[in-house]
Amino acid sequence: MIERDMYLGLCEGSALKTHFQTVHFRYTPPQYSFLPGLLEIFKSKIGNHLNESSYLISVSVRFTYLIQELDEMKESKRVLIKDKSIQDIDIVDDRLEDIYPDIKNLPFGSDQECIESIYLACIWSNLSEDIIVDSESYNDLNPQHSNHWCITINNILDKCEYKLSNCLNQYLNELKKTITVNQLMGQANSNSSHDLNTEELKHKSLQKLTSSGSAARKLDQMYSMGSNIVEKATNKMRILNINDTILPIDKGFLDFIMDYLFPDANLRQSNVSSNQVINKVDSSDDFFFKKMSLLKASSLKNDGLLNKFVICLNLINQLGKSAALAQLWQEFVLELRYRYDSAVLIPGLEGDLKKVQSEDSMKAPDLSRCLLHQKIQMLNCCIKKKLERQQIEKEIEQQIKTECPKNNSDEDEFFDCEDEQPVIAEGRFKQFGELTLLRKPSEPLYVPKTQEPAPMTEDMLEQHASVLLNLGNNDDASLLRAKIQSASLLSDMQAFKAANPGCVLEDFVRWYSPRDWVQVEIKETDSDSNEEKITKKYDLSNRMKIPGNMWVEVWENAKSVPVRRQKRLFDDTKEAEQIFEWLNSLSIGQIIEHTLPIIFYSSIYTCYAEAFNLELSSITEPIFEAMIDKAIKITRNNDTNKYQDLVNYIKSFEQIVTLMKSLNAKFKNRKSKIANADMEEVENFLKELLKQSLDQEFCQINIKNGAHSVIGLLISRLCRKKNSIRKPKISRYLNEYQSIKSSIDVSEDEEDEDANNMNNVLLPFEKPFQREYILRSSVPRPAPYSRQSPQRMYCRINNIEFKLAGAFTEDTMFF
């Protein structure tokens, strides 16, 4: 139904009376379609008693032109990746990056056109009725002569679907699933003839590091050329009754993902670089990274192993649902298992892998990151410790070979055993300054090789604190608590005794806790003069002399044992097995829960990168700050129920970026031919258009100087792309707009069909979509001797309605 937004009524005051009258038709009477007919109505209303030459009628006109609408914008149709088959694609030079979907970036924005229509209103104000010709055959109201333009944009942002927010909603929906990966994949691995058993999977992981070439099995003859990238899990894998099932992810696509996650494996040995570009934020953007560092996620630069893995998980979840997600998770865990068994460090956790390999000490898990990141870091600690043990074993073997050369003589040699065997120092790292042993001043004090403290993740710390807390408060509990906490102290004392034979506790304290080796004053009496003298010397602090001191007890019980023969404080084998047990026991919902901080970090990173590329920081900064503050609270409290609020923020970002891209595509495309000097003005105009479009569905912006401005020129070209140009009309307007043409600095475009004869010529627009007229006059009513009073009539004409609204005033004093 047509909206009725006009009024009927009467207003009276100050000896004047105004009648408000309205006419509303759903069609336009032919005799009143143009200005002459409207003038006839207006003159009949203001009075036939007056001579037409005795008063003037002022006319204001607004013609609204439909520049573009949704059907003309060629709305792109969304192509579903899961319906894409390899057999439909030509494969050239093994460019799998062109075949498979983008696994390096999260989807962003909308494939739908977010601008429904663009209107241009051209306004002529206060024209005399005598100088206007407006009829069906001819109209001299040319838009190019109007100095007042107004552009109106109607957006449908709320009706569009946005890829990133939609996929995050799908990801959150998996939180409720309690089925485990083993339940999903166990039966599939046992029943499917296409699946590999555990040993074969390990062998497959081994091949990723040892494959030497041969084009990686020619990608299994292009992966059978007929199989889909990702099979539909609902058709290929029945969760409850798996008999004739195969794994949902194609083997070629799975290898493609694993090569991306673990580039050092290089299974495919491809020499072709990837065409998939990763969205990145400038590393010098301190504001962004300072804010993002407060999130409890993973890699700050969004290029870490877990960031890439979670992006792939999100993609697989969209394509194959839970079964495909479980398969990728299992493959990821198997790769980690192989790397631990083969003592190969996991990349993408602590930055440069070569730097990590060269470091002597292992890096403890970063407790400011999410739990999954800490677990993988802990696994890297286990691998690092395993490498150290292997290196020590090799050094010992080499030392034995050099110290015990082969004896070529056939006769046995016998030696007499000495009464006292000399004590040999072991496990020395370096000399500790110029200090010497207190009881052996000739022997320097050496720093021993010690075991590093056992690294812990946040759940291990909570468990350790809980154990100590539950011991109680009695004496036995305190003693047991002290023994648990002194395990590292005992190891260091044993290593110190092995590196410094003949040392005492005071020597250990001077190295281990210098604050407890203090200077004291001692009063002594001189035997000759019987005078008291105060001498200064160093001694243990008071807390070290307390009876029952734990340090003294541990020192007395400590034996001389070098670090290589000690019991491991950090049992990397046990810790690694616990990590793998934890990874394998997770349900689908728990996997989603532990990866939520990472995927939302990557989502925020993507939002900022997209806005940064379009230079929208000034517009998006308030939304970004609110979103990041919300994300910090959610990720640190691990409140999964609040993630939906972040999705709404991300959707707002997508709306802004999608609308800006749409505006750029229309006003800053290749055919716009914007001069460098005018680029800043165009960008400011588009940003202002963006701001107002976000606040309301219909936004209007005035364009100063109309067609003679830079923005007016752009709109004229936009209309020219829409309208087909007729050659008979071209010559008519060439001379008229020659001055405008000479002021435009644009190069000729050979691909433009219209550029041969009339490049940059502003042509008239097609018929207006809507015409509006305002007729004004001031005449005496109701009698010729009455006082003059204002008369006004408004008219709106378009294809669906004809509206008249009049305000006719008459004198109530002299009538």
Side-chain angles (χ1 to χ4, degrees), residues 456-722:
M456 291 187 180
T457 59
E458 63 180 24
D459 60 331
M460 295 171 63
L461 287 172
E462 291 176 0
Q463 184 179 6
H464 183 71
S466 178
V467 170
L468 296 179
L469 187 63
N470 293 332
L471 290 177
N473 297 322
N474 54 34
D475 295 339
D476 294 337
S478 300
L479 181 60
L480 182 58
R481 189 180 294 110
K483 288 183 178 180
I484 294 174
Q485 294 175 329
S486 63
S488 178
L489 180 63
L490 175 62
S491 173
D492 294 339
M493 287 182 173
Q494 291 177 338
F496 187 84
K497 285 186 174 182
N500 299 279
C503 63
V504 293
L505 177 60
E506 287 80 357
D507 293 320
F508 178 77
V509 170
R510 285 193 296 165
W511 163 66
Y512 200 83
S513 180
R515 291 181 302 173
D516 290 308
W517 185 248
V518 296
Q519 190 179 49
V520 295
E521 295 181 352
I522 300 176
K523 295 181 179 180
E524 295 181 351
T525 303
D526 190 355
S527 57
D528 297 333
S529 61
N530 292 328
E531 295 180 357
E532 290 186 354
K533 294 182 179 181
I534 298 176
T535 59
K536 296 182 178 180
K537 69 174 185 178
Y538 285 89
D539 197 3
L540 294 175
S541 63
N542 293 331
R543 79 181 187 100
M544 287 292 179
K545 297 178 180 180
I546 297 175
N549 182 274
M550 183 184 65
W551 284 52
V552 178
E553 294 181 1
V554 174
W555 178 262
E556 293 175 352
N557 295 327
K559 298 179 180 179
S560 177
V561 182
V563 66
R564 63 184 178 87
R565 292 205 302 267
Q566 291 180 9
K567 180 182 178 182
R568 287 182 286 174
L569 293 177
F570 175 55
D571 191 344
D572 56 275
T573 305
K574 177 182 177 182
E575 294 298 337
E577 292 302 326
Q578 289 180 350
I579 292 173
F580 285 117
E581 181 181 355
W582 181 79
L583 292 173
N584 289 319
S585 65
L586 294 178
S587 65
I588 296 298
Q590 289 173 331
I591 293 174
I592 298 299
E593 180 181 353
H594 287 296
T595 55
L596 279 178
I598 305 174
I599 192 171
F600 273 92
Y601 179 95
S602 298
S603 299
I604 297 173
Y605 186 98
T606 301
C607 289
Y608 190 86
E610 292 283 350
F612 182 82
N613 293 336
L614 294 175
E615 299 180 355
L616 297 176
S617 301
S618 59
I619 299 176
T620 60
E621 185 174 342
I623 303 177
F624 172 75
E625 290 186 355
M627 178 171 60
I628 202 70
D629 291 340
K630 188 76 172 180
I632 292 170
K633 295 178 182 178
I634 293 175
T635 55
R636 293 198 171 274
N637 297 330
N638 197 24
D639 190 353
T640 56
N641 297 324
K642 298 292 185 178
Y643 277 104
Q644 188 60 46
D645 296 339
L646 288 180
V647 176
N648 296 333
Y649 280 113
I650 291 170
K651 184 177 180 179
S652 299
F653 255 93
E654 288 188 283
Q655 289 178 337
I656 294 172
V657 173
T658 300
L659 182 56
M660 192 63 195
K661 286 183 177 180
S662 181
L663 293 174
N664 286 339
K666 293 169 178 57
F667 293 95
K668 289 177 60 178
N669 53 47
R670 179 177 56 85
K671 294 184 179 181
S672 298
K673 306 183 183 78
I674 305 172
N676 293 333
D678 300 329
M679 184 61 69
E680 183 179 357
E681 181 179 351
V682 174
E683 290 178 351
N684 292 335
F685 167 75
L686 293 180
K687 289 181 180 180
E688 182 63 26
L689 202 59
L690 174 66
K691 289 180 182 179
Q692 295 197 21
S693 298
L694 294 173
D695 297 333
Q696 51 191 350
E697 291 185 4
F698 289 90
C699 76
Q700 294 184 353
I701 292 185
N702 295 326
I703 302 173
K704 296 181 180 180
N705 299 325
H708 304 284
S709 65
V710 175
I711 307 303
L713 176 62
L714 283 178
I715 296 173
S716 298
R717 290 174 183 159
L718 192 63
C719 294
R720 193 176 64 194
K721 289 192 294 181
K722 176 180 181 290

Side-chain angles (χ1 to χ4, degrees), residues 642-810:
K642 298 292 185 178
Y643 277 104
Q644 188 60 46
D645 296 339
L646 288 180
V647 176
N648 296 333
Y649 280 113
I650 291 170
K651 184 177 180 179
S652 299
F653 255 93
E654 288 188 283
Q655 289 178 337
I656 294 172
V657 173
T658 300
L659 182 56
M660 192 63 195
K661 286 183 177 180
S662 181
L663 293 174
N664 286 339
K666 293 169 178 57
F667 293 95
K668 289 177 60 178
N669 53 47
R670 179 177 56 85
K671 294 184 179 181
S672 298
K673 306 183 183 78
I674 305 172
N676 293 333
D678 300 329
M679 184 61 69
E680 183 179 357
E681 181 179 351
V682 174
E683 290 178 351
N684 292 335
F685 167 75
L686 293 180
K687 289 181 180 180
E688 182 63 26
L689 202 59
L690 174 66
K691 289 180 182 179
Q692 295 197 21
S693 298
L694 294 173
D695 297 333
Q696 51 191 350
E697 291 185 4
F698 289 90
C699 76
Q700 294 184 353
I701 292 185
N702 295 326
I703 302 173
K704 296 181 180 180
N705 299 325
H708 304 284
S709 65
V710 175
I711 307 303
L713 176 62
L714 283 178
I715 296 173
S716 298
R717 290 174 183 159
L718 192 63
C719 294
R720 193 176 64 194
K721 289 192 294 181
K722 176 180 181 290
N723 302 329
S724 60
I725 301 176
R726 300 178 182 178
K727 292 185 178 180
K729 291 186 178 181
I730 294 176
S731 59
R732 174 182 172 186
Y733 298 102
L734 278 175
N735 295 330
E736 185 176 357
Y737 301 107
Q738 190 65 33
S739 60
I740 301 177
K741 177 182 177 181
S742 60
S743 64
I744 304 170
D745 183 17
V746 175
S747 62
E748 183 176 356
D749 187 359
E750 297 179 355
E751 297 182 2
D752 191 354
E753 297 179 358
D754 306 325
N756 295 328
N757 299 319
M758 48 155 300
N759 193 27
N760 303 329
V761 176
L762 302 179
L763 298 177
F765 295 73
E766 64 178 10
K767 292 183 179 181
F769 168 77
Q770 178 173 276
R771 290 176 290 127
E772 296 170 276
Y773 302 86
I774 297 179
L775 310 181
R776 297 184 182 92
S777 185
S778 180
V779 298
R781 291 183 71 233
Y785 52 81
S786 300
R787 291 180 300 170
Q788 286 194 348
S789 56
Q791 316 297 323
R792 183 183 186 274
M793 187 179 77
Y794 166 82
C795 178
R796 181 166 66 194
I797 302 173
N798 54 41
N799 294 331
I800 61 174
E801 64 178 343
F802 174 83
K803 284 187 176 182
L804 293 178
F808 304 104
T809 306
E810 59 185 30

Side-chain angles (χ1 to χ4, degrees), residues 36-204:
L38 300 176
L39 286 171
E40 181 182 345
I41 297 175
F42 185 65
K43 291 176 181 179
S44 66
K45 294 296 294 183
I46 63 177
N48 296 324
H49 60 284
L50 299 174
N51 188 357
E52 292 186 5
S53 60
S54 63
Y55 60 90
L56 297 176
I57 298 178
S58 172
V59 181
S60 296
V61 184
R62 180 167 67 179
F63 284 176
T64 302
Y65 297 90
L66 179 60
I67 298 179
Q68 282 190 345
E69 57 184 346
L70 193 60
D71 294 338
E72 298 174 355
M73 294 178 188
K74 299 180 181 179
E75 179 182 2
S76 59
K77 296 182 180 180
R78 182 172 300 176
V79 180
L80 296 179
I81 298 175
K82 59 185 178 183
D83 293 334
K84 184 178 179 182
S85 176
I86 294 182
Q87 62 184 356
D88 299 328
I89 304 173
D90 295 330
I91 299 177
V92 181
D93 297 330
D94 294 341
R95 295 193 179 186
L96 297 182
E97 292 81 2
D98 299 333
I99 301 173
Y100 293 129
D102 187 1
I103 63 173
K104 297 184 178 181
N105 300 292
L106 288 169
F108 189 85
S110 176
D111 287 332
Q112 298 172 316
E113 177 57 59
C114 62
I115 297 178
E116 186 176 34
S117 55
I118 302 177
Y119 299 95
L120 174 67
C122 300
I123 301 172
W124 296 264
S125 301
N126 299 323
L127 302 178
S128 176
E129 61 171 311
D130 299 332
I131 66 173
I132 301 176
V133 178
D134 179 31
S135 64
E136 185 176 1
S137 59
Y138 178 77
N139 189 324
D140 58 4
L141 293 176
N142 194 316
Q144 308 299 333
H145 294 159
S146 172
N147 289 327
H148 188 182
W149 280 15
C150 178
I151 188 170
T152 303
I153 289 184
N154 177 22
N155 68 75
I156 49 173
L157 291 173
D158 294 336
K159 299 179 182 179
C160 295
E161 294 184 0
Y162 300 95
K163 293 183 281 189
L164 182 54
S165 53
N166 283 350
C167 73
L168 290 176
N169 284 326
Q170 293 180 21
Y171 205 75
L172 289 173
N173 290 338
E174 300 293 311
L175 274 172
K176 302 177 182 178
K177 296 188 178 179
T178 58
I179 187 169
T180 65
V181 173
N182 290 334
Q183 289 173 332
L184 275 170
M185 302 302 298
Q187 290 181 325
N189 286 335
S190 61
N191 293 331
S192 175
S193 59
H194 298 279
D195 294 338
L196 304 172
N197 57 33
T198 304
E199 294 300 323
E200 289 172 336
L201 284 170
K202 291 181 180 179
H203 181 65
K204 177 183 176 183

Side-chain angles (χ1 to χ4, degrees), residues 412-447:
D412 296 334
E413 295 184 9
F414 298 91
F415 299 91
D416 294 333
C417 180
E418 298 180 1
D419 295 338
E420 294 184 1
Q421 293 291 338
V423 179
I424 300 175
E426 296 182 85
R428 287 177 173 177
F429 177 60
K430 63 180 181 179
Q431 188 172 337
F432 188 60
E434 297 180 355
L435 295 182
T436 58
L437 298 179
L438 295 177
R439 294 186 179 179
K440 295 182 178 181
S442 60
E443 291 289 333
L445 190 149
Y446 287 92
V447 176

